[in-house]
Amino acid sequence: MSRPEWLPTTHVEVGVHVYETTRFATRLYPEQDRATVRIDGSDAHVTVFGHHGDLVRLRDVLAEVVTQLETARSTTSTTAA
C-alpha cells in the first residue's frame, strides 16, 4: 500500500540500538491487514506500523542482513585463523 496523499510529508529519522534488554510488543489489526511492533529501549521507544506485505518485506530484509552478518563473521574468523 502506498502512502495516502493526505498524509503530511514530514521527514523524521530515528535510531534505536537493540540490546538483550530491549522489549518488543506487537498489536494486530487484522480487519485492516496491518500490525504494529513497538521497540522499547531504556530511554526511548519506536513503533513500526505496517500492512502485511510491508511487514513481510521488513522481515525478509532482516533475515537477509542476519545471513550476511553470519557469512561475514565466518569469513572473518576463517581468515583470522
Side-chain angles (χ1 to χ4, degrees):
M1 176 178 196
S2 61
R3 182 183 66 79
E5 298 270 337
W6 51 267
L7 282 176
T9 58
T10 303
H11 175 80
V12 176
E13 186 172 327
V14 177
V16 175
H17 288 264
V18 177
Y19 299 104
E20 61 277 352
T21 56
T22 303
R23 294 177 317 276
F24 302 94
T26 60
R27 185 162 181 188
L28 301 178
Y29 301 90
E31 68 284 352
Q32 298 173 16
D33 193 35
R34 70 180 185 92
T36 61
V37 179
R38 181 176 161 136
I39 305 166
D40 282 310
S42 60
D43 296 326
H45 72 268
V46 173
T47 302
V48 177
F49 297 81
H51 285 86
H52 179 269
D54 299 315
L55 293 170
V56 168
R57 287 179 40 231
L58 177 59
R59 176 201 63 197
D60 293 348
V61 167
L62 292 172
E64 179 61 27
V65 77
V66 167
T67 299
Q68 291 173 2
L69 183 58
E70 289 169 347
T71 300
R73 285 177 25 189
S74 56
T75 301
T76 302
S77 63
T78 304
T79 306

